[in-house]
């Protein structure tokens, strides 16, 4: 009798069969059974005798959301968290997920373009070998691998010209650099870290209970003793592999450093670093610390923030002026963190890596958001241009952060690319 009552309820429109619900939700019956097993989309009623599943029509919207999220490639584990949230929180999660997808796609695009340029350069070099049967019209040199619409940069107009993907540069170059960190005018502890040496430039902005340990561990994992930096220049292909390995090492080092925290998920660090081999710079970047390039009197940002507000700027839903006061401006979409289990917005642990060209006379600035968030780029440019030496520049930049109120810790590195023979000579700008 009980069984008949349930069947009548289903037939009367109060509940619908799995077949009808599949039609309404655009999910297959097989998918519905799978989602039931995973606890993702439970039926309203399961007949205890024959196991038939019945669904409430009110579940259709939730089921359609699952179908749409699967269509954009979201993993089931993350979908399970999203469908349990209210609409506003779910929207934040979806935006965060898609921003991460786009960032990872951009990194894969950069690698694809690197491979195209690298293999094309090898092909041109082979065509110049006597007796080679390659195309007679392809006479470019191995270093002629100019940019394609800002590839490898944060946007159009960022220089990315010859030298990055070809053979070693003709003139030996070196790095002259300085680093400085400061607690700021408001914070009582300093969780930022910075390092400047002939083979490594790095800034890291720690957060959470283990933030100071995380930022220090990330930079330590990238020091030349860890990645084998020596006097010999690495090929482009070797440097790309080194970048991947050191990025993974930094991720592991941060996880180890915050493992003993009460909430390791809530502790971590950003990281922006450049590895110098004597002929090339490799960039490792995750979070909202930044790297800038001063070339020809223009200051270019060469990293892209992994933050919620940056993703909103990218999709046009937020202006740069609005971003400065947005309540979610500190929310990161990617960072180096402890084992992520309960973070409201999941973050990726893998930094972006890419290769950068270098020219004698370039000046690089790496900084945490304790500087970039309070000092606008016009002031940054003026300070970076005016300073004669990197040591002068970092002192002036920290001073600018203090003049702006110093609300956060500050870390910055300034480095000049110089002809090796001039490395020991003071140089004006």
């Amino acid at each position: 009798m009980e069984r008949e009552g349930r069947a009548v309820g289903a037939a009367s429109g109060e509940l619908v069969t799995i077949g009808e619900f599949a039609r309404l939700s655009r999910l297959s019956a097989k998918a519905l059974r799978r989602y039931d097993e995973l606890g993702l989309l439970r039926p309203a009623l399961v007949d205890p005798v024959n196991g038939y599943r019945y669904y409430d029509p009110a579940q259709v919207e939730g089921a359609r959301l699952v179908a749409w999220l699967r269509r954009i490639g979201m993993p089931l584990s993350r979908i399970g968290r999203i469908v349990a949230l209210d609409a506003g929180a779910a929207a934040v999660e979806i935006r965060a997920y898609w921003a991460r997808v786009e960032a990872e796609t951009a990194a894969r695009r950069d690698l694809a373009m690197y491979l195209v340029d690298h293999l094309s350069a090898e092909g041109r070099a082979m065509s110049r070998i006597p007796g080679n049967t390659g195309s007679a019209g392809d006479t470019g040199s191995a270093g002629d691998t100019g940019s394609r619409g800002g590839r490898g940069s944060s946007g159009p107009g960022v220089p990315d010209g010859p030298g990055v993907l070809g053979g070693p540069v003709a003139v030996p170059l070196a790095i002259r650099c300085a680093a400085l960190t400061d607690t700021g005018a408001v914070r009582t502890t300093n969780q930022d870290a910075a390092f400047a040496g002939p083979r490594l430039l790095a800034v890291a902005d720690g957060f959470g209970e283990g933030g100071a340990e995380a930022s220090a561990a990330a930079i330590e994992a990238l020091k030349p003793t860890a990645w084998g930096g020596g006097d010999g220049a690495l090929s482009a292909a070797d440097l790309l592999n080194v970048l991947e390995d050191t990025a993974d090492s930094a991720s592991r080092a941060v996880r180890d450093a915050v493992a003993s925290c009460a909430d390791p998920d809530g502790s971590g660090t950003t990281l922006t670093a450049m590895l110098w081999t004597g002929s090339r710079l490799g960039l490792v970047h995750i979070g909202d610390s930044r790297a800038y390039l001063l070339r020809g009197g223009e200051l270019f940002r060469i990293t892209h923030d992994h933050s919620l507000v940056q993703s909103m700027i990218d999709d046009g839903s937020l202006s740069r002026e609005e971003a400065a006061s947005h309540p979610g401006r500190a929310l990161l979409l990617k960072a180096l963190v402890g084992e992520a289990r309960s973070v409201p917005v999941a973050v990726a642990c893998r930094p972006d890596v890419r290769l950068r060209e270098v020219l004698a006379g370039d000046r690089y600035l790496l900084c945490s958001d304790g500087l970039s968030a309070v000092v606008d780029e016009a002031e940054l440019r003026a300070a970076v241009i005016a300073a004669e030496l990197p040591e002068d520049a970092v002192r002036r930049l920290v001073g600018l952060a203090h003049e702006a109120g110093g609300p956060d810790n500050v870390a910055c590195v300034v480095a000049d690319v110089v002809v090796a023979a001039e490395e020991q000579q003071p140089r004006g700008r």
Side-chain angles (χ1 to χ4, degrees):
M1 192 69 181
E2 182 184 4
R3 177 181 169 188
E4 288 181 4
R6 288 184 181 130
V8 170
S12 68
E14 295 175 12
L15 298 179
V16 297
T17 64
I18 189 172
E20 176 63 13
F21 192 74
R23 185 188 67 80
L24 293 172
S25 65
R26 305 295 179 88
L27 289 167
S28 68
K30 180 180 179 181
L32 289 172
R33 286 190 288 268
R34 175 62 173 159
Y35 297 160
D36 179 14
E37 293 169 359
L38 295 173
L40 182 60
L41 187 60
R42 296 288 196 188
L45 175 68
V46 178
D47 192 302
V49 177
N50 57 29
Y52 290 166
R53 294 171 171 86
Y54 297 98
Y55 293 81
D56 190 325
Q59 294 179 275
V60 169
E61 285 304 313
R64 286 174 176 168
L65 177 60
V66 172
W68 294 329
L69 294 176
R70 287 297 291 157
R71 193 171 297 175
I72 66 173
M74 184 176 289
L76 290 173
S77 59
R78 188 159 187 169
I79 292 175
R81 294 197 299 270
I82 288 178
V83 296
L85 299 173
D86 61 48
V92 171
E93 277 278 328
I94 295 169
R95 181 186 294 279
Y97 168 77
W98 194 247
R100 172 182 168 182
V101 169
E102 289 184 326
E104 291 174 349
T105 300
R108 289 195 295 270
R109 180 197 64 222
D110 290 342
L111 177 56
M113 291 299 98
Y114 156 72
L115 293 172
V116 169
D117 284 347
H118 182 63
L119 294 174
S120 297
E122 283 192 352
R124 288 193 293 271
M126 289 296 292
S127 72
R128 294 195 301 274
I129 298 175
N132 191 283
T133 58
S135 169
D138 190 0
T139 59
S141 69
D144 293 337
T145 54
S147 64
R148 287 192 177 95
R151 171 180 46 79
S153 71
S154 64
V158 180
D160 198 13
V164 59
L165 301 177
V169 292
V171 178
L173 300 175
I175 296 291
R176 177 188 291 152
C177 53
L180 186 62
T181 67
D182 187 84
T183 304
V186 175
R187 302 290 178 88
T188 57
T189 60
N190 190 356
Q191 294 186 310
D192 282 9
F195 181 86
R199 297 292 176 181
L200 173 67
L201 314 170
V203 297
D205 181 355
F207 55 84
E209 176 191 353
E213 293 79 6
S215 60
I219 290 180
E220 191 65 31
L222 266 64
K223 287 185 177 178
T225 53
W227 60 272
D231 294 331
L234 295 175
S235 69
D238 287 340
L239 179 54
L240 200 63
N241 288 337
V242 165
L243 291 175
E244 292 282 357
D245 291 343
T246 52
D248 289 342
S249 296
S251 296
R252 290 193 298 271
V254 170
R255 289 197 297 270
D256 292 343
V258 303
S260 60
C261 294
D263 179 20
D265 290 347
S267 294
T269 186
T270 68
L271 177 65
T272 299
M274 305 189 87
L275 280 63
W276 172 246
T277 68
S279 62
R280 298 178 180 87
L281 275 171
L283 176 67
V284 178
H285 170 68
I286 188 167
D288 62 355
S289 294
R290 293 180 176 179
Y292 295 88
L293 165 63
L294 179 70
R295 178 181 291 173
E298 295 297 324
L299 188 69
F300 304 94
R301 176 153 62 103
I302 59 173
T303 54
H304 197 73
D305 292 350
H306 299 134
S307 65
L308 176 65
V309 295
Q310 183 64 59
S311 72
M312 296 174 72
I313 292 170
D314 293 343
D315 67 20
S317 61
L318 196 69
S319 70
R320 294 189 181 277
E321 293 73 23
E322 292 169 333
S325 58
H326 192 276
R329 63 187 179 277
L331 182 58
L332 297 176
L333 301 181
K334 293 178 69 174
L336 300 179
V337 295
E339 294 296 339
R341 291 183 295 273
S342 60
V343 183
V345 176
V347 291
C349 294
R350 195 173 189 80
D352 297 341
V353 299
R354 59 171 56 104
L355 304 183
R356 291 293 310 173
E357 65 142 336
V358 291
L359 296 177
D362 286 348
R363 171 168 279 187
Y364 287 90
L365 163 64
L366 281 64
C367 65
S368 65
D369 69 339
L371 177 64
S372 60
V374 298
V375 179
D376 65 37
E377 290 191 5
E379 289 184 281
L380 291 180
R381 174 181 174 275
V384 172
I385 288 176
E388 180 180 1
L389 298 173
E391 293 83 354
D392 302 327
V394 293
R395 285 194 292 268
R396 176 56 183 151
L397 290 167
V398 170
L400 286 175
H402 272 273
E403 291 172 16
D408 198 357
N409 303 152
V410 186
C412 60
V413 169
V414 172
D416 292 341
V417 179
V418 299
V419 175
E422 302 173 356
E423 185 179 4
Q424 302 303 318
Q425 304 175 15
R427 177 173 64 94
R429 296 194 72 79

